[in-house]
C-alpha cells in the first residue's frame, strides 16, 4: 500500500479524498491555534517575553513558507504522493520534538522543522485540487476545502484553552503530535497520485516557480492572498494578549471567543462555495477585500480613540469573515493562471502566505501585551496592500 511508485492514480475528487485534503489544509491552523491559549503560561515557564514566545509562531511560518517552495516544485517533478508521504512523516517526528523541548531555543528550532515538514500537506493539497478540478468547480472546491479545514480554527483554540488548563502547554503539544500522526495515517491509506508522469516537469527544479511568477496576474493574486492572510495572522498572533490581557478573558473564554471568530471565517467559506457557480470569484473577492479594508480602518480608529477593548470584538469578527471570502476564491484564480505547474503555483501562494505570517507575528507584539495599536496598524497596512494587489490583476477582457 505504501509503495509510492505503485500508488493508484486518482482522476476525480471523491468525498474521502476531499476530507483528507481538508485535514492536510488544516495543518497550519492546528499547529498555530491549538497552543495559542498557552502563550501567557509559556512566557512564565520558559522565562521569555511575549515577543520571544511569538517567535515560535514566526519559526513555524518560516518553515511553512520555505518548505512549500521545495515540496511544491518536487511534486510537479516526482508526483504528489511521495513528497506528501515524506513530509507527513517528518511532521510527526518534529511535533514530538517540540513537545519535549527543554528551552525556548529548542522549541523555536523544533517549530522551524515542524513547519518545513508540515508544509508538504498544505502545498500538495492545493495542487491536487488544481489537478482534479477547473473553473467554478475549482473555486467551489477550494472554498469547501477551506470550510471543512476551517473546523480546525473553530475547535483548536477552544480545545486548546481547556487542554492548557488541564494538561499544561506541553500536554497541548503532545496532542498536536497525535494529530500529526492521524494526518500521516490518512495520507498513507487514502491519498493517491493525481499528477500523471506525462504532466510532470523535467527541467530545473525551480523552473516552474520562475515561470508562474513571470505572470503578472498570478503574482498579483499571490500578493492578494498573502496580504489577506497577513490581516488574519496579525489577529491570530495578537489575540491571546488582546483577549486575555486587554479584555480580561480567561484562557478557556478566550478559546471560545476565538472559536466564534473562526465560525465567521468558516461560514464565509461555506457561503462563498455556494456562490461560486452564480457569482464570478473575482467579484466576490472584490467585495470582500473592500470590506476587509473598511473594518481594518475601523479597528485602527477604535484603538486611536482609546475605546473600550471589548468594542474591538465586532470589527475583528468582520475581518476574519471577510478573509473567508477571499482565500479560496483567490487560490482558484491564481492556480488557473498557473496551468500544469500547479505545484509550483501552490508553492508560491503558500510561501508568500507563510512568509507574510512570519513577518507580521512579531510585529503585533512590539508593544508587549498591553496595547492593540501594533495589531491595528499591521491589519490596516496588509488590507491596503490587498486592495492594491487586486487592482494590479485587472485586464481588459471580462473577469474570470
Amino acid at each position: 500500500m505504501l509503495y509510492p511508485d505503485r500508488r493508484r492514480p486518482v482522476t476525480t475528487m471523491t468525498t474521502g479524498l476531499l476530507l483528507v485534503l481538508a485535514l492536510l489544509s488544516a495543518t497550519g491552523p492546528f499547529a498555530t491555534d491549538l497552543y495559542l491559549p498557552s502563550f501567557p503560561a509559556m512566557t512564565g515557564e520558559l522565562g521569555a517575553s511575549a515577543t520571544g514566545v511569538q517567535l515560535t509562531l514566526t519559526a513555524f511560518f518560516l518553515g511553512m513558507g520555505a518548505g512549500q517552495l521545495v515540496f511544491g516544485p518536487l511534486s510537479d517533478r516526482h508526483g504528489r504522493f511521495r513528497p506528501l508521504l515524506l513530509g507527513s512523516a517528518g511532521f510527526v517526528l518534529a511535533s514530538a520534538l517540540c513537545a519535549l523541548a527543554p528551552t525556548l531555543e529548542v522549541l523555536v528550532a523544533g517549530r522551524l522543522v515542524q513547519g518545513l515538514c508540515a508544509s508538504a500537506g498544505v502545498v500538495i493539497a492545493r495542487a491536487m485540487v488544481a489537478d482534479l478540478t477547473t473553473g467554478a468547480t475549482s473555486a467551489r472546491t477550494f472554498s469547501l476545502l477551506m470550510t471543512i479545514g476551517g473546523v480546525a480554527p473553530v475547535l483548536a483554540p477552544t480545545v486548546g484553552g481547556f487542554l492548557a488548563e488541564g494538561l499544561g502547554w506541553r500536554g497541548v503539544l503532545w496532542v498536536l503530535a497525535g494529530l500529526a500522526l492521524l494526518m500521516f495515517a490518512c495520507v498513507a491509506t487514502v491519498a493517491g497520485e493525481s499528477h500523471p508522469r506525462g504532466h510532470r516537469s523535467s527541467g530545473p527544479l525551480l523552473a516552474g516557480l520562475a515561470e508562474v511568477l513571470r505572470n503578472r496576474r498570478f503574482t498579483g493574486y499571490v500578493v492578494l492572498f498573502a496580504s489577506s492572510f497577513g490581516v488574519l495572522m496579525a489577529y491570530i498572533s495578537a489575540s491571546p494578549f488582546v483577549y486575555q490581557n486587554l479584555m480580561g478573558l480567561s484562557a478557556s473564554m478566550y478559546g471560545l471567543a476565538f472559536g466564534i471568530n473562526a465560525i465567521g471565517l468558516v461560514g464565509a467559506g461555506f457561503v462563498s462555495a455556494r456562490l461560486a457557480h452564480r457569482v464570478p470569484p473575482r467579484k466576490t473577492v472584490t467585495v470582500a477585500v473592500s470590506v476587509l479594508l473598511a473594518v481594518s480602518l475601523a479597528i485602527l480608529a477604535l484603538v486611536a480613540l482609546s475605546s473600550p477593548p471589548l468594542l474591538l470584538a465586532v470589527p475583528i469578527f468582520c475581518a476574519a469573515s471577510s478573509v473567508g471570502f477571499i482565500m479560496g476564491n483567490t487560490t482558484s484564480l491564481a492556480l488557473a493562471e498557473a496551468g500544469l505547474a500547479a505545484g509550483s503555483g501552490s508553492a508560491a501562494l503558500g510561501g508568500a502566505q507563510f512568509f507574510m505570517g512570519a513577518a507580521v507575528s512579531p510585529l503585533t507584539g512590539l508593544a508587549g501585551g498591553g496595547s492593540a495599536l501594533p495589531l491595528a496598524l499591521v491589519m490596516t497596512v496588509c488590507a491596503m496592500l490587498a486592495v492594491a494587489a487586486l487592482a494590479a490583476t485587472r485586464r481588459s477582457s471580462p473577469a474570470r
Side-chain angles (χ1 to χ4, degrees):
M1 179 185 301
L2 300 181
Y3 290 84
D5 289 333
R6 304 176 188 174
R7 198 63 179 175
R8 61 181 176 81
V10 176
T11 57
T12 58
M13 180 65 68
T14 64
T15 300
L17 180 59
L18 179 63
L19 290 172
V20 171
L21 297 182
L23 182 61
L24 294 173
S25 299
T27 298
F30 271 131
T32 57
D33 299 351
L34 192 67
Y35 85 136
L36 286 178
S38 302
F39 270 21
M42 291 171 68
T43 59
E45 183 173 335
L46 295 173
S49 64
T51 300
V53 172
Q54 284 174 327
L55 281 177
T56 63
L57 272 180
T58 301
F60 180 78
F61 285 124
L62 285 174
M64 286 286 281
Q68 290 186 68
L69 296 178
V70 175
F71 280 109
L74 277 177
S75 74
D76 280 342
R77 172 178 287 188
H78 300 291
R80 311 301 185 203
F81 181 72
R82 281 187 288 179
L84 179 57
L85 189 68
L86 176 65
S88 299
F91 182 39
V92 176
L93 297 176
S95 297
L97 172 64
C98 290
L100 294 169
T103 65
L104 177 64
E105 291 76 14
V106 174
L107 179 58
V108 170
R111 290 283 287 173
L112 177 65
V113 177
Q114 188 182 45
L116 285 168
C117 296
S119 68
V122 176
V123 68
I124 295 176
R126 282 195 300 261
M128 291 182 72
V129 173
D131 289 340
L132 302 174
T133 62
T134 59
T137 301
S138 177
R140 181 174 183 273
T141 304
F142 277 118
S143 293
L144 284 174
L145 200 69
M146 180 178 172
T147 302
I148 298 172
V151 172
V154 173
L155 294 180
T158 305
V159 173
F162 288 108
L163 289 175
E165 293 181 352
L167 301 177
W169 64 270
R170 290 190 186 277
V172 172
L173 293 182
W174 276 117
V175 171
L176 178 59
L179 292 173
L181 184 60
L182 173 63
M183 292 178 187
F184 172 78
C186 289
V187 168
T189 57
V190 178
E193 181 55 68
S194 65
H195 196 50
R197 291 186 179 276
H199 291 170
R200 297 178 189 177
S201 63
S202 57
L205 182 62
L206 299 182
L209 190 60
E211 179 182 351
V212 294
L213 289 176
R214 284 194 291 267
N215 182 323
R216 175 183 59 83
R217 284 172 56 79
F218 174 82
T219 302
Y221 286 130
V222 168
V223 176
L224 169 58
F225 184 82
S227 53
S228 299
F229 180 76
V231 174
L232 184 64
M233 195 60 233
Y235 148 66
I236 289 175
S237 60
S239 61
F241 304 103
V242 171
Y243 281 82
Q244 293 182 79
N245 292 358
L246 298 182
M247 297 185 186
L249 302 184
S250 65
S252 57
M253 288 302 296
Y254 156 69
L256 182 61
F258 193 100
I260 291 173
N261 292 333
I263 288 173
L265 178 71
V266 173
F270 178 78
V271 173
S272 179
R274 300 277 292 182
L275 291 174
H277 287 289
R278 290 178 289 174
V279 181
R282 185 180 170 86
K283 181 176 291 186
T284 300
V285 170
T286 300
V287 174
V289 167
S290 301
V291 173
L292 184 63
L293 178 59
V295 296
S296 297
L297 289 170
I299 292 172
L300 181 59
L302 288 172
V303 173
L305 295 173
S306 300
S307 302
L310 281 173
L311 294 181
L312 297 175
V314 173
I316 285 176
F317 174 85
C318 294
S321 300
S322 298
V323 173
F325 284 102
I326 296 170
M327 303 297 280
N329 286 303
T330 302
T331 299
S332 175
L333 291 166
L335 293 185
E337 299 286 338
L340 290 177
S344 296
S346 180
L349 282 170
Q353 172 189 7
F354 286 98
F355 285 136
M356 178 67 79
V360 304
S361 294
L363 293 178
T364 61
L366 287 178
S371 173
L373 182 59
L375 166 66
L377 289 172
V378 171
M379 289 180 70
T380 301
V381 170
C382 287
M384 294 174 67
L385 182 59
V387 171
L390 179 63
T393 62
R394 291 175 181 167
R395 62 182 178 186
S396 57
S397 58
R400 172 180 308 275

